[in-house]
Amino acid sequence: MVHVMENTDRFLAKIRLELERSQTANNNGYIDLAKLEAVPSPEELLSPVMPPEGLSSFQEIMMEEIAKCHLDKIITGINELLKHLLARISEENEETMAELYMYRLRMIFGRCLMPDFPFSEEVWNYICECLRTAGSFLVQNGYYEACREIIDSTAGMGRIAALKGLPTGNTQSSLRILENKALEHGEKQLASAAKNARFNLEI
């Protein structure tokens, strides 16, 4: 039992370190051909600037744990990812942060749907519960764009979950809570987005 606790402590320290080290900026001068609007010059192509981390090391750790079917560590990792988002979000980085963190969460979710992973339903229910809390936090603190990203991601994952035969009751409940939270703050468009996402899951 003591060995398991030490192992979990080390894992937690490792993922927290990777989350802290991650560069969340979209543009640090690195040339990404997929995002360029103009044709680059040869000099730009040879730029020594390294690509932004973008949570890739965190993602690699999570993928290893999913392959080993370590459910407790996967849940801990998802929790830490979303806590890190909420702790670091600001008016300046709101949209970028939400997109990046939800992108990584969707990748983790997608990997957990593979046939070799036996705990898809547990992970999906946990994600829904986390996103309900995270979305409520974002609305309460005025980060409506970030909450919209959470609603869209919840809806997208929910549709995939439904196709895979996973229950969506928890998804519906989370979206309903976010809808009500948005209405409490007078954000009718946000509430409408949550309502539509909920409705589309029922179809």
Side-chain angles (χ1 to χ4, degrees), residues 8 11 30 41 63 100 135-136 148 155 174 188 190:
T8 303
F11 171 73
Y30 174 72
S41 68
M63 291 303 182
L100 173 61
S136 297
R148 178 60 185 260
S174 295
K188 292 181 180 177
L190 192 62

Side-chain angles (χ1 to χ4, degrees), residues 1 4 18 23 27 30 39 46 51 54 59 90 92 99 102 112 124-125 128 132 135 167-168 179 203:
M1 186 68 179
V4 173
E18 292 305 337
Q23 301 169 40
N27 183 14
Y30 174 72
V39 176
L46 295 172
Q59 183 90 48
S90 68
E92 293 74 29
E99 285 176 2
M102 287 304 100
C112 288
W124 173 231
N125 281 330
C128 289
R132 178 181 63 218
T168 56
E179 178 187 345
I203 296 174

Side-chain angles (χ1 to χ4, degrees), residues 98-191:
E99 285 176 2
L100 173 61
Y101 281 64
M102 287 304 100
Y103 169 69
R104 293 298 177 182
L105 183 61
R106 290 194 304 271
M107 287 181 72
I108 290 166
F109 169 67
R111 175 63 183 87
C112 288
L113 292 178
M114 299 297 283
D116 65 336
F117 186 74
F119 305 115
S120 302
E121 186 173 333
E122 289 86 347
V123 170
W124 173 231
N125 281 330
Y126 185 75
I127 286 174
C128 289
E129 288 161 9
C130 282
L131 291 181
R132 178 181 63 218
T133 304
S136 297
F137 172 93
L138 293 170
V139 172
Q140 203 160 303
N141 288 277
Y143 296 117
Y144 303 126
E145 286 300 316
C147 186
R148 178 60 185 260
E149 182 66 31
I150 279 188
I151 288 168
D152 290 346
S153 289
T154 303
M157 289 186 286
R159 285 192 293 274
I160 296 168
L163 288 171
K164 295 284 185 179
L166 296 176
T168 56
N170 214 347
T171 323
Q172 298 274 6
S173 172
S174 295
L175 288 168
R176 165 78 78 175
I177 287 167
L178 294 183
E179 178 187 345
N180 291 339
K181 201 79 175 171
L183 285 173
E184 283 173 24
H185 286 75
E187 288 297 311
K188 292 181 180 177
Q189 283 189 322
L190 192 62

